Amino acid sequence: MTQTVLVDSNTTSALTPAPAPWSAVAAIGIGAFALVTAEFLPVGLLPQIANDLAITQGQAGLMITIPGVVAACSALLTIGLTNAFDRSHVLWVLLSLLVVSNSLIACANGLPLLLLGRVVLGVAVGGFWTIGVSLGARLRPDAVGKATSIVFSGVTLGTVAGVPAGTMLGALFGWRMSFAVSAVLAALLVLALVRLLPAIRPEPSSGLTHVPSVLKIPNVQLGLVAVALIFTGQFCAYTYFAAYLGEVSGVEPSALSALLLTYGIAGILGNLFCGWWVGRNLRLAVLSTSLVLGCSMLLLAAIGKNPAAVTLAVVMWGFGFGMLPIAIQSWIFNAAPNHLESAAALFVSMGQLFMGAGALVGGITVDNYGLTSAVWVGAAGTLCGSLWIIARFFSGTPVLLSQP
């Protein structure tokens, strides 16, 4: 079955009378880059942070859990509390929170302040992805596909350039410097958004009151269960990705940034491939995403000390991770094309919640059974997502999980 994401160009044109400059779209893409970099920066710095603050790696892994849980709540609260506000003003505030978050973390002298900074980040992440994800299409209704791809390119660039660069900076000057530099760049981004973004009125169909009706759509329900399984598995393992490569696979610190860069480049390819494939067979795109992720984790856990196997697993994992947001979000957006902000809020809320849940499960398994256990559990969770997709997406008429 072939499906594509549809955006009502008449509604978009009414909300934004004239196409905005491409620089405004690019600024939102850079905002996505900054948030993704900040959210996943601890993955490459986890061992350093744990050693410096005298905490376990499982406790340090709460840096991924906390923003995920907070973002799950802030995603829904954002459309409820900001329904009447200019979207450009909302983005200014959310990116300003990124400055606060990174500054707090750079100055943290213990776990409480460290996690407070991540709570602030969670508010920014949940709100930004709920509001910002659909703004590319609204700013440039004459080139929806190109505008959307620019916004999402920030996600890929965050993993390709942001996380490896932050890891390298941390290796050279300490992990605090990575967050300090991120705070400065976020401040410059806020100034750019103030300068470049035009007024953007909220969508008439946005708001918390539309969420229950979106939840009643069968394909939305099916997609959200897939999100729960796949994101839990992915972030159970990914949170301890750098630690596993260093301590189990024996990757030297000097080579870790290069391997993370390889992961990111594979993510770009996965992103581009999935952007093409979702327009041809969306169900297979979603299924292949979970299979590639799960099989890469299995390979790394089974023969993670073999250099060739490690490289192959990293490439597969990056490719699958690049596909993940495009595949799942396309499915949910196609199921509710007239309620994009409400659908985005549900996707972000579920994704962030189970991202945090996966990191928490990974932390518990690492502290009790070692790093390899997190990869095995991650593979199991992700492949359970594959089984769900096979059982539901390919079983004919979708089955309602709850009656309207």
Side-chain angles (χ1 to χ4, degrees):
M1 181 178 68
T2 299
Q3 301 191 44
T4 54
V5 179
L6 300 177
V7 177
D8 188 338
S9 59
N10 292 327
T11 300
T12 307
S13 298
L15 291 171
T16 307
W22 282 110
S23 56
V25 180
I28 296 176
I30 296 171
F33 166 83
L35 282 165
V36 168
T37 298
E39 188 168 15
F40 297 134
L41 192 54
V43 170
L45 301 171
L46 214 60
Q48 283 190 54
I49 296 171
N51 290 335
D52 187 45
L53 298 181
I55 57 179
T56 68
Q57 291 197 38
Q59 290 174 320
L62 290 172
M63 293 182 72
I64 303 296
T65 299
I66 293 297
V69 173
V70 174
C73 299
S74 71
L76 294 173
L77 289 175
T78 296
I79 60 171
L81 298 177
T82 67
N83 193 38
F85 290 92
D86 187 311
R87 284 344 195 191
S88 62
H89 297 170
V90 175
L91 290 188
W92 299 351
V93 173
L94 293 172
L95 268 298
S96 296
L97 292 179
L98 181 58
V99 180
V100 175
S101 168
N102 286 326
S103 299
L104 287 173
I105 294 168
C107 299
N109 57 0
L111 190 60
L113 190 56
L114 190 76
L115 297 184
L116 175 60
R118 300 301 280 181
V119 167
V120 175
L121 175 67
V123 175
V125 167
F128 181 90
W129 284 117
T130 299
I131 299 298
V133 73
S134 62
L135 289 186
R138 294 179 59 192
L139 288 171
R140 295 297 305 213
D142 57 326
V144 170
K146 182 179 179 181
T148 303
S149 68
I150 289 175
V151 173
F152 274 102
S153 68
V155 179
T156 305
L157 287 174
T159 56
V160 170
V163 174
T167 302
M168 185 177 297
L169 191 64
L172 294 173
F173 302 105
W175 65 271
R176 295 178 190 276
M177 181 60 71
S178 297
F179 287 97
V181 170
S182 184
V184 172
L185 294 177
L188 294 175
L189 176 60
V190 172
L191 295 177
L193 289 173
V194 171
R195 175 70 178 83
L196 296 172
L197 285 184
I200 310 171
R201 290 181 292 169
E203 289 182 321
S205 60
S206 66
L208 201 57
T209 56
H210 294 275
V211 170
S213 61
V214 174
L215 267 175
K216 293 177 182 178
I217 300 171
N219 278 350
V220 170
Q221 296 173 350
L222 296 176
L224 291 178
V225 173
V227 166
L229 294 169
I230 297 171
F231 274 60
T232 299
Q234 160 69 12
F235 289 96
C236 176
Y238 181 68
T239 303
Y240 302 93
F241 184 53
Y244 181 92
L245 292 176
E247 297 180 27
V248 178
S249 300
V251 177
E252 296 293 330
S254 58
L256 182 58
S257 294
L259 204 54
L260 289 173
L261 180 61
T262 301
Y263 178 96
I265 292 171
I268 289 181
L269 297 176
N271 194 283
L272 293 173
F273 174 75
C274 197
W276 166 82
W277 202 9
V278 292
R280 287 156 178 78
N281 197 316
L282 186 51
R283 291 188 177 193
L284 283 178
V286 176
L287 175 60
S288 62
T289 296
S290 61
L291 286 174
V292 170
L293 284 171
C295 290
S296 66
M297 294 176 203
L298 282 180
L299 178 62
L300 192 61
I303 46 178
K305 295 184 179 180
N306 181 287
V310 168
T311 302
L312 177 59
V314 167
V315 170
M316 289 175 59
W317 199 339
F319 190 87
F321 188 48
M323 294 176 65
L324 182 58
I326 300 292
I328 297 291
Q329 187 165 271
S330 294
W331 178 273
I332 293 174
F333 274 17
N334 270 277
N338 297 319
H339 300 282
L340 293 184
E341 281 194 5
S342 297
L346 283 170
F347 171 67
V348 172
S349 182
M350 287 289 288
Q352 292 290 333
L353 178 62
F354 286 97
M355 180 188 302
L360 180 61
V361 170
I364 293 171
T365 59
V366 165
D367 281 350
N368 288 280
Y369 304 106
L371 286 164
T372 304
S373 65
V375 183
W376 281 115
V377 173
T382 307
L383 291 174
C384 280
S386 301
L387 294 176
W388 166 259
I389 293 165
I390 292 170
R392 297 288 181 171
F393 287 7
F394 295 93
S395 62
T397 303
V399 178
L400 282 172
L401 300 180
S402 62
Q403 294 297 325

